[in-house]
Amino acid sequence: LDARAAGLAERVRRAVEELGGLESARRAERRLAQLAAERAGLDREERADEAVLQDAEGWLDHWEDTRTGLQNRIDAARQAATLAEQFAVRREPAQQRLAAARRRDELVRHAEAAEARALAARERALKAREHWLDLKEQRLQGIAAELAADLVDGEPCAVCGAVDHPAPARKVAGHVDRETEERALAACRSAEGELADDERRLGTLREALAAATAEAGDAPADRLTEEAEELERLYDAARRGASQLHAAQEELRRAEHERERRAAARQEAALRGAARLSRREALEQERTALEEELARARGTAVSVAARSAQLEGDAALFTEAADAVRAAEDTAQRLKDADAHLADAAFRAGFDTPQAAAAALLD
């Protein structure tokens, strides 16, 4: 309680210095954990080597049976590859003929629909032409009424030159003007264009149908489908068998490599065993030295982290106490200065003491 700020700061410095010195102890702790992991790794290696020895002996006992089985698989895959080549030669023409037959049947349906569309377009074109010609004839018959519509009394007629127009022709009900005729002509030409397009598409479909029929013949698509599917099944089966060739060859190669590896593994396991024994002794010596170092660094704490937490707490408390001491000293000085100013102000106001000034204060 009576410590000064400087003394408290010195306690903080010592705690911080000891904290810095714990870094070596932390490394020792981490190294101990690594040593434990390394020792566990050596134990696992030893068990693994024992398993390698047992497994190698068991594997090598069955080597001849393994080699014979793999060679039989290779021979069967080669035979399947030969069959797959034979089926592949027949497979493509069969698929092409089937595709042509399906295309032929589809083109028959499209050609029938196109023929129906062309027939309907022909009927529409004929009707549109008849309608246009009928309107054209009606317009010719009523052309005088159109001319008379432009006559003005006193102005010459564009046809006869007369300036008097006593009885101009009048439009009758259903009169056909030029705009009506032109719309009918445009509709006629549009219908004829659609007819030409439909007939052109029909011709194209008929040509394609003839080509597909020439390629597929008259055989039904169902029968060609069955033949193609059977050929495809045989081809797939042969190809699956042939696809095992590379895998079987690779497996035989790996098996031969494995035989060599397992034979070498027995000798390597013995060498590793001798090296492990020497390594265990070195690890044990290092572990003993590190544990002695940690015991000195921890003191009464259970771990380096706990000792570090103690020191960090002490440093924080000492720092806080030093700050509090400095704040108390500063506040005491400020209080002393304030008392002096107060006494001086009371004296200048005509009072002997601040208490006298306070007693004279009116409510």
Side-chain angles (χ1 to χ4, degrees):
L1 292 177
D2 296 331
R4 310 296 274 172
L8 292 170
E10 176 62 20
R11 295 292 296 274
V12 172
R13 185 187 63 77
R14 291 201 300 270
V16 171
E17 287 180 353
E18 187 173 353
L19 274 172
L22 289 180
E23 183 58 32
S24 175
R26 291 190 183 94
R27 289 195 296 270
E29 273 190 336
R30 290 194 293 271
R31 180 54 183 159
L32 275 176
Q34 293 172 355
L35 292 179
E38 191 170 350
R39 290 197 304 273
L42 292 176
D43 293 340
R44 289 193 298 272
E45 289 178 4
E46 184 174 8
R47 292 192 296 270
D49 281 342
E50 292 176 356
V52 165
L53 290 172
Q54 295 176 0
D55 188 49
E57 293 296 338
W59 194 93
L60 292 172
D61 289 344
H62 298 87
W63 162 243
E64 287 300 326
D65 292 340
T66 300
R67 187 189 65 79
T68 300
L70 291 173
Q71 189 60 50
N72 291 339
R73 285 176 54 191
I74 291 173
D75 295 340
R78 286 173 175 164
Q79 294 176 358
T82 302
L83 289 175
E85 292 177 357
Q86 297 174 355
F87 290 134
V89 174
R90 298 166 51 193
R91 176 173 169 266
E92 185 174 355
Q95 291 290 344
Q96 292 177 349
R97 190 180 180 193
L98 173 59
R102 290 172 175 171
R103 190 166 59 252
R104 174 201 64 198
D105 296 344
E106 184 177 3
L107 287 170
V108 167
R109 293 190 296 272
H110 290 329
E112 291 174 352
E115 188 172 359
R117 286 195 298 271
L119 179 60
R122 189 177 295 109
E123 292 178 356
R124 288 194 300 272
L126 288 174
K127 289 181 180 180
R129 187 169 188 82
E130 291 175 358
H131 180 61
W132 168 61
L133 291 175
D134 183 50
L135 292 179
K136 182 176 182 181
E137 183 178 356
Q138 293 180 37
R139 183 169 178 270
L140 290 174
Q141 292 174 359
I143 195 68
E146 290 187 20
L147 294 174
D150 297 330
L151 293 177
V152 179
D153 290 338
E155 293 183 6
C157 174
V159 177
C160 66
V163 295
D164 294 330
H165 316 296
R170 304 296 182 186
K171 292 182 180 180
V172 298
H175 174 75
V176 178
D177 55 15
R178 174 177 297 191
E179 184 180 356
T180 302
E181 180 193 353
E182 289 178 351
R183 285 200 302 270
L185 177 59
C188 175
R189 289 176 178 171
S190 176
E192 289 175 348
E194 292 178 359
L195 173 60
D197 292 341
D198 288 340
E199 288 181 342
R200 184 169 52 256
R201 284 192 289 269
L202 177 59
T204 301
L205 286 171
R206 285 175 174 170
E207 290 176 1
L209 176 59
T213 302
E215 185 177 358
D218 297 330
D222 293 343
R223 181 166 62 82
L224 293 178
T225 299
E226 293 176 359
E227 294 176 357
E229 288 177 351
E230 177 61 17
L231 186 59
E232 191 71 19
R233 186 187 64 78
L234 295 174
Y235 171 73
D236 288 342
R239 188 178 60 177
R240 284 194 300 272
S243 67
Q244 300 299 316
L245 176 60
H246 179 71
Q249 290 174 334
E250 284 297 308
E251 191 170 348
L252 178 59
R253 183 189 62 80
R254 288 194 298 270
E256 291 173 344
H257 177 72
E258 184 70 9
R259 180 189 59 175
E260 296 174 358
R261 188 189 68 79
R262 288 174 183 265
R266 290 178 294 187
Q267 183 178 0
E268 294 173 357
L271 294 175
R272 286 195 298 269
R276 276 195 300 271
L277 180 60
S278 176
R279 181 59 179 162
R280 285 181 191 278
E281 293 176 354
L283 292 178
E284 185 62 24
Q285 292 175 359
E286 184 177 2
R287 183 187 65 81
T288 301
L290 290 174
E291 287 180 347
E292 292 175 356
E293 178 183 351
L294 282 176
R296 291 191 299 270
R298 287 195 302 260
T300 59
V302 296
S303 66
V304 174
R307 179 57 180 161
S308 177
Q310 288 176 358
L311 291 173
E312 289 175 354
D314 289 348
L317 290 173
F318 290 140
T319 299
E320 183 179 359
D323 292 342
V325 167
R326 284 190 288 268
E329 292 173 351
D330 180 63
T331 305
Q333 183 60 45
R334 288 167 56 200
L335 178 59
K336 181 179 179 180
D337 294 341
D339 286 340
H341 291 157
L342 178 60
D344 183 60
F347 179 76
R348 288 197 306 270
F351 296 96
D352 292 335
T353 64
Q355 289 77 12
L361 182 64
L362 297 177
D363 58 26

